[in-house]
C-alpha cells in the first residue's frame, strides 16, 4: 500500500463525510492510531472527524469503550469497540479494529487475523480478515481495509 492510496482514500472519505454532514470516529488496537492519523491528515478533518481511541491495552477496551471483559481478538470485541467509540464521541459512522498483528499467534488466533467493525454505531458490521506478511504489513492492510470500509459506509449512507 502506498501513501498515495491512503491519501486518496482520505480525500474520498472527507468528500463523502462533508457532503453528508456526518462525523466519523475510530477505535484502534493493533493499528495504534494509524487509522486516526490517516483520517486526521485528510482535508477539512476538523469538520467531520470526531476522533479516535487507541485501545491497545485491554483495560482501555473494557473501561473506556465498554467492551465485555474476555478475549479481545474477537468479532464481539470489535463490534463493542465500534459501538463504544460511537457513543463516546457522538459519531455517525464508526470503525474499530482488533487482531493479532504478529509475528506469532495471539489468543489462539493466527498472526494476521483481524476483526474490523464498521457502520453506524447501532448497526455495526464485522468482517474477519486474514492478512499476510510481517506485523507492519498487517497494520498497513488493516488501515487500508478500515478506510475502504468507512468510504463504503458513507457511500451507503448517501443512498
Amino acid at each position: 500500500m502506498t501513501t498515495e492510496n491512503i491519501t486518496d482514500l482520505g480525500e474520498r472519505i472527507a468528500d463523502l463525510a462533508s457532503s453528508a454532514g456526518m462525523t466519523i470516529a475510530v477505535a484502534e488496537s493493533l493499528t495504534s492510531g494509524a487509522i486516526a492519523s490517516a483520517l486526521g491528515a485528510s482535508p477539512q478533518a476538523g469538520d467531520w472527524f470526531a476522533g479516535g481511541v487507541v485501545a491497545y491495552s485491554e483495560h482501555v477496551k473494557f473501561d473506556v469503550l465498554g467492551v465485555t471483559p474476555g478475549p479481545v481478538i474477537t468479532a464481539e470485541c470489535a463490534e463493542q469497540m465500534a459501538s463504544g467509540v460511537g457513543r463516546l464521541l457522538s459519531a455517525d459512522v464508526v470503525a474499530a479494529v482488533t487482531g493479532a498483528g504478529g509475528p506469532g499467534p495471539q489468543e489462539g488466533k493466527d498472526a494476521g487475523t483481524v476483526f474490523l467493525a464498521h457502520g453506524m454505531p447501532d448497526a455495526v458490521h464485522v468482517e474477519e480478515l486474514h492478512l499476510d506478511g510481517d506485523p507492519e504489513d498487517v497494520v498497513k492492510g488493516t488501515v487500508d481495509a478500515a478506510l475502504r470500509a468507512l468510504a463504503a459506509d458513507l457511500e451507503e449512507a448517501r443512498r
Side-chain angles (χ1 to χ4, degrees):
M1 182 175 68
T2 65
T3 303
E4 183 177 72
N5 288 343
I6 289 174
T7 301
D8 291 346
L9 282 168
E11 289 174 0
R12 188 163 132 220
I13 289 166
D15 289 344
L16 290 165
S18 294
S19 67
M22 301 181 94
T23 58
I24 296 171
V26 296
E28 304 179 62
S29 184
L30 80 148
T31 51
S32 296
I35 299 166
S37 292
L39 293 171
S42 300
Q44 278 75 44
D47 295 337
W48 53 265
F49 182 44
V53 174
V54 177
Y56 208 80
S57 171
E58 288 184 357
H59 84 85
V60 175
K61 291 177 185 75
F62 304 153
D63 299 342
V64 176
L65 296 177
V67 172
T68 303
V72 294
I73 303 175
T74 66
E76 294 77 17
C77 179
E79 182 178 14
Q80 291 174 3
M81 287 172 65
S83 295
V85 80
R87 282 190 305 275
L88 189 66
L89 300 180
S90 300
D92 301 307
V93 179
V94 296
V97 294
T98 185
Q106 293 172 264
E107 292 186 359
K109 304 285 189 205
D110 292 333
T113 302
V114 175
F115 292 94
L116 164 61
H118 59 91
M120 310 302 169
D122 59 352
V124 175
H125 172 72
V126 182
E127 299 175 39
E128 182 174 345
L129 310 173
H130 297 277
L131 304 171
D132 294 325
D134 62 22
E136 183 179 341
D137 294 330
V138 172
V139 169
K140 286 179 181 178
T142 302
V143 171
D144 184 66
L147 294 176
R148 290 180 189 283
L150 286 168
D153 291 336
L154 289 164
E155 287 171 353
E156 182 66 28
R158 286 179 25 165
R159 294 182 188 151

